[in-house]
Amino acid sequence: MSGLRVYSTSVTGSRERVLCPQIKSQQSEVTRILDGKRIQYQLVDISQDNALRDEMRALAGNPKATPPQIVNGDQYCGDYELFVEAVEQNTLQEFLKLA
């Protein structure tokens, strides 16, 4: 796959119910910011296929990674916290590996 991808989930498992509101809120913030800056991306719903979840975790280098995770091509950009930090420091283009 090429281009910017945001790994997300439309469903969370029972063990992750505690994280559900936080994950949904983080996913919404990432997509809202990208949309606001007119940055094109593909939303990848890992709840549709376990292979997508495994792919996301392999790219993140973390077997317990949860959405949202951001990737450009085959380069891992980071998670929500790193995304927010890049927005605050005005380094989003570099973070997303677009610059």
Side-chain angles (χ1 to χ4, degrees), residues 11-29:
V11 180
T12 55
S14 58
R15 354 178 241 129
E16 297 173 351
R17 281 185 201 269
V18 174
L19 298 175
C20 183
Q22 181 180 7
I23 289 173
K24 296 290 185 195
S25 170
Q26 291 176 352
Q27 290 176 168
S28 294
E29 185 170 358

Side-chain angles (χ1 to χ4, degrees), residues 34-76:
L34 292 175
D35 289 344
K37 294 186 177 291
R38 300 196 193 298
I39 297 172
Q40 292 188 336
Y41 62 94
Q42 176 187 3
L43 207 53
V44 179
D45 187 350
I46 65 166
S47 67
Q48 303 302 312
D49 185 346
N50 285 341
L52 292 173
R53 182 195 65 216
D54 295 342
E55 173 184 280
M56 174 195 76
R57 289 178 172 170
L59 288 164
N62 178 351
K64 295 183 178 181
T66 58
Q69 298 290 330
I70 303 156
V71 175
N72 191 344
D74 60 357
Q75 293 187 299
Y76 179 67

Side-chain angles (χ1 to χ4, degrees), residues 57-97:
R57 289 178 172 170
L59 288 164
N62 178 351
K64 295 183 178 181
T66 58
Q69 298 290 330
I70 303 156
V71 175
N72 191 344
D74 60 357
Q75 293 187 299
Y76 179 67
C77 298
D79 60 8
Y80 172 76
E81 286 77 17
L82 293 172
F83 175 85
V84 169
E85 187 176 309
V87 170
E88 290 173 354
Q89 295 180 356
N90 204 23
T91 58
L92 187 59
Q93 292 286 320
E94 293 84 354
F95 169 79
L96 297 173
K97 304 187 186 327

